[in-house]
Amino acid sequence: MFVTFVVGTVELVSLLAEQLGAADRAPWYWLAAVDLNTIGIVIVVTFLVTWIGTVTLWKLRRYDERYPARTDAEPDSASV
């Protein structure tokens, strides 16, 4: 949700700056020049790096051995 909010805000502000003729002024110039393709690539790379990092930590810290998956055949300790 945060990602869509940021991308939508950048797009809205850049369109407003362009329509109001303020795209050549100081703070609006940078926002009007932001390329949404670049933002998309940054978002995808951020998700990939985060995913690879969490998988690496999962394997290095051996969480799969510490916390094995429960099966339906095992009784629940709360119901016994």
Side-chain angles (χ1 to χ4, degrees):
M1 179 124 171
F2 178 73
V3 172
T4 57
F5 179 73
V6 170
V7 171
T9 301
V10 168
E11 180 67 16
L12 179 65
V13 168
S14 67
L15 285 173
L16 284 174
E18 187 177 311
Q19 292 296 321
L20 296 175
D24 57 347
R25 296 195 186 121
W28 306 107
Y29 176 76
W30 182 83
L31 285 171
V34 171
D35 183 23
L36 289 179
N37 292 327
T38 304
I39 290 175
I41 291 171
V42 168
I43 291 168
V44 169
V45 168
T46 301
F47 281 129
L48 282 174
V49 168
T50 303
W51 180 73
I52 290 170
T54 55
V55 169
T56 303
L57 282 174
W58 182 269
K59 293 295 183 182
L60 287 176
R61 293 186 178 183
R62 300 178 186 212
Y63 285 126
D64 50 343
E65 293 174 10
R66 286 188 199 175
Y67 308 106
R70 288 182 29 176
T71 61
D72 289 338
E74 295 175 14
D76 188 11
S77 61
S79 65
V80 174

